[in-house]
Amino acid sequence: MISFGIKDIIDILLVAVLLYYIYRTMKESGALNIFFGVFAFIIVWVVVDKILDMRLLGTIMDRIIDSGIFILIIIFQDQIKRFLTGLGSKRGWKSISKLWHSGQPKDARKKWVMPIVYACMSLSKSKTGALIVIKQNFSLEDYEHSGDIINAEVNNRLLENIFFKNSPLHDGAVIIDEGKIKAAGCILPVSHDTSLPKYLGLRHRSALGISQATDAIAIVVSEETGNISYAHRGEMHLKLSSTDLDRALSNLIE
């Protein structure tokens, strides 16, 4: 007789959570079809080898599974790194830290969010292209070192000057961390997501790329239209007003 207890329920719940986390990571990285393909192959392998006990086909699929794990690790090394970084990030400890800290960090955050919004509004009016990345839990150190280190307080005038068309840093991205402009002229990963509208250029694809690789928020000001957009968790939000941007940043910045 098969026994089913609390331990089995916990086991199923943990597997469900793990699958959901992998699904969300794959969705954000634009590799959702591969996730479904691998999942379908595993189901077929379980049916063939464990349930139907088809020895020849089961043996072949066993060999594919054995070598396939290493192939998947190579292909999805960035996603695996992101997954493990997420497990060890400080997000899970924030709720505990709130027991000892007051709301001052949130008030301090507002002081440097508004200059970003003001800068985007000004850049939008003049149709000056810009790409601003706000760091969250995932490290952006590698991307910071691809540009020029600045380490200055967030200031809307400084942001406008960085993206001024004759500035040597205007083509790259600005990275902001805890109210500091860490670096400018940074190079970001470019997304090849085919669902992104073709009229969107390299800045938008770079914004989507960094949002797929990390949990950062990437703000884009279009040089052609002046429209303000932002990317987060692999999703692009287009044509925002200053109020929309302010609300989004207030809600998303951790």
Side-chain angles (χ1 to χ4, degrees):
M1 182 177 180
I2 299 176
S3 60
F4 192 83
I6 296 177
K7 186 173 69 174
D8 300 301
I9 296 175
I10 295 174
D11 187 23
I12 293 172
L13 288 176
L14 289 175
V15 171
V17 170
L18 180 63
L19 287 175
Y20 171 74
Y21 203 107
I22 296 174
Y23 165 81
R24 193 178 69 176
T25 303
M26 289 295 188
K27 182 180 179 182
E28 292 166 0
S29 64
L32 193 57
N33 289 336
I34 298 178
F35 170 80
F36 285 128
V38 172
F39 190 67
F41 183 86
I42 292 174
I43 292 176
V44 173
W45 170 66
V46 170
V47 171
V48 169
D49 190 45
K50 307 300 180 183
I51 298 177
L52 299 180
D53 196 22
M54 301 172 69
R55 295 183 181 179
L56 179 59
L57 187 56
T59 302
I60 294 173
M61 298 186 78
D62 284 340
R63 298 294 177 268
I64 295 174
I65 288 289
D66 292 340
S67 59
I69 292 175
F70 296 103
I71 295 173
L72 289 175
I73 290 174
I74 295 172
I75 295 175
F76 296 109
Q77 55 183 321
D78 292 335
Q79 285 81 3
I80 293 171
K81 179 181 177 182
R82 181 179 177 182
F83 175 77
L84 295 176
T85 304
L87 290 179
S89 70
K90 62 182 180 181
R91 180 183 302 174
W93 301 98
K94 286 191 173 180
S95 58
I96 298 175
S97 65
K98 288 178 182 178
L99 297 174
W100 291 276
H101 296 284
S102 62
Q104 291 181 354
K106 186 175 181 180
D107 296 334
R109 187 189 312 142
K110 290 181 180 179
K111 294 180 181 179
W112 57 267
V113 166
M114 286 313 299
I116 297 174
V117 176
Y118 290 145
C120 290
M121 290 171 58
S122 179
L123 293 167
S124 174
K125 289 179 182 178
S126 61
K127 291 186 177 181
T128 302
L131 177 53
I132 301 172
V133 178
I134 301 174
K135 175 186 173 295
Q136 302 250 68
N137 293 317
F138 286 73
S139 173
L140 301 179
E141 189 174 353
D142 291 341
Y143 303 110
E144 290 171 11
H145 289 300
S146 68
D148 293 313
I149 303 299
I150 294 180
N151 273 329
E153 297 290 335
V154 170
N155 181 287
N156 56 305
R157 296 281 188 182
L158 179 56
L159 287 172
E160 291 173 38
N161 286 331
I162 289 174
F163 291 112
F164 181 65
K165 292 181 180 179
N166 293 329
S167 167
L169 300 175
H170 81 281
D171 276 336
V174 162
I175 295 179
I176 295 175
D177 180 13
E178 296 293 340
K180 294 263 189 185
I181 299 176
K182 301 291 289 185
C186 301
I187 300 172
L188 304 181
V190 178
S191 172
H192 299 286
D193 193 336
T194 56
S195 64
L196 199 66
K198 292 185 178 180
Y199 64 84
L200 298 179
L202 184 60
R203 282 193 181 93
H204 290 83
R205 293 195 172 275
S206 296
L208 187 61
I210 194 67
S211 77
Q212 291 172 339
T214 71
D215 63 346
I217 306 166
I219 307 167
V220 185
V221 179
S222 172
E223 191 171 349
E224 287 75 24
T225 63
N227 291 332
I228 301 173
S229 310
Y230 80 86
H232 183 244
R233 294 288 184 184
E235 294 185 5
M236 181 69 71
H237 305 264
L238 304 171
K239 298 181 181 179
L240 304 175
S241 65
S242 58
T243 304
D244 294 333
L245 180 61
D246 182 26
R247 186 184 301 114
L249 295 182
S250 299
N251 292 333
L252 294 175
I253 294 176
E254 302 175 358

